[in-house]
Amino acid sequence: MTEFWLISAPGEKTCQQTWEKMMTATTCKNNLSSNHKFSIPDLKVGTLDVLVGLSDELAKLDSFVESVVKKVAQYMVDVLEDSRDKVQENLLANGVDLVTYITRFQWDMAKYVIKQSLKNISEIISKQIMQIDNDLKNRASSYNNLKGNLQNLERKNAGSLLTRSLADIVKKEDFVLDSEYLITLVTVVPKTFYADWQKTYETPAEMVEPRSSNLLFEDTDSGLFSVTLFRKAIDDFKHRARENKFSVRDFQYNEEEMT
């Protein structure tokens, strides 16, 4: 990162003479630096007492501004965690990169009217920075909530069949819907117990629809099977499933909720 010094040179008869003398001393003879004019308009200075009274306030304001700018920059780094190479191109001041902004600095006459006192101008800057700080806190909170929700969704979609979301696995046609008597359950069966599932899921036979079980999905450890049975047999079926090391998911197909 380029280092910048903001300096005040001893005055000659005109500002231009001062500039030319400094350029000769630092650039033409020694090539010590690359210099740029940092133009500040003639501000309404006021009395010495006013300046002395402002000195402490401006020091506090300077520290506050710097801390907020650093927070904004750091949060940009955090947000672009997977694209750190793009941080610099996103850290802009008034739409331009930081080096350009500093080397071509122009006072914003509309925002900081120079006819006002220095105290008024410093108060305007203070209020604006406080607003930026508050906006950053609100946006950071919203971002962190959204990031947390996304991580929860990713965990649900990437976990085991016992806990992950089934929204991207099951389809409407996998279920008997809107039936007064029948219901379709989904059951997680370890791969080592597939044969046991096929032998036992229809027990008791009068309560389970024959050959209604289908393998809907499987991961490295388990498979997700559907089975259709009478509603009054749900509790008994779940009990028998637990005895056989099958896990019935507490899931009912609802298109609106899944969307």
Side-chain angles (χ1 to χ4, degrees), residues 139-151:
R139 294 188 184 195
S141 177
S142 297
Y143 175 79
N144 290 332
N145 288 337
L146 190 62
K147 186 177 181 181
N149 291 339
L150 180 60
Q151 288 173 339

Side-chain angles (χ1 to χ4, degrees), residues 192-252:
T192 52
F193 293 101
Y194 276 11
D196 292 342
W197 167 258
Q198 294 296 339
K199 291 177 185 176
T200 61
Y201 82 87
E202 292 181 348
T203 307
E206 69 274 12
M207 290 297 171
V208 178
E209 182 181 336
R211 299 180 184 178
S212 63
S213 177
N214 292 297
L215 177 61
L216 305 180
F217 183 84
E218 60 182 351
D219 58 19
T220 54
D221 302 313
S222 307
L224 186 72
F225 286 85
S226 64
V227 60
T228 301
L229 61 150
F230 283 96
R231 290 181 180 274
K232 63 182 180 180
I234 291 176
D235 291 338
D236 185 45
F237 183 85
K238 288 181 176 180
H239 176 70
R240 291 174 181 270
R242 282 194 298 272
E243 288 181 340
N244 288 282
K245 299 182 180 178
F246 310 141
S247 301
V248 179
R249 287 287 305 265
D250 185 15
F251 176 86
Q252 289 188 358

Side-chain angles (χ1 to χ4, degrees), residues 66-154:
E66 183 176 353
S67 69
V68 172
V69 169
K70 285 183 175 179
K71 275 197 286 187
V72 172
Q74 183 56 50
Y75 210 79
M76 183 73 76
V77 172
D78 295 341
V79 169
L80 294 172
E81 55 188 340
D82 297 325
S83 307
R84 293 293 173 90
D85 56 320
K86 295 183 178 179
V87 170
Q88 287 297 330
E89 66 186 67
N90 282 280
L91 285 175
L92 304 177
N94 283 5
V96 298
D97 64 86
L98 304 184
V99 172
T100 301
Y101 179 76
I102 293 172
T103 56
R104 298 181 185 177
F105 176 79
Q106 288 185 323
W107 187 273
D108 191 333
M109 295 289 190
K111 191 178 288 186
Y112 310 108
V113 180
I114 61 174
K115 290 182 180 180
Q116 299 182 92
S117 67
L118 292 182
K119 183 173 179 60
N120 284 353
I121 292 175
S122 69
E123 288 174 351
I124 291 171
I125 294 173
S126 179
K127 288 178 182 177
Q128 290 176 337
I129 296 299
M130 287 178 68
Q131 185 61 51
I132 290 171
D133 193 35
N134 289 332
D135 287 346
L136 177 63
K137 289 175 183 175
N138 292 334
R139 294 188 184 195
S141 177
S142 297
Y143 175 79
N144 290 332
N145 288 337
L146 190 62
K147 186 177 181 181
N149 291 339
L150 180 60
Q151 288 173 339
N152 288 335
L153 283 172
E154 287 174 343

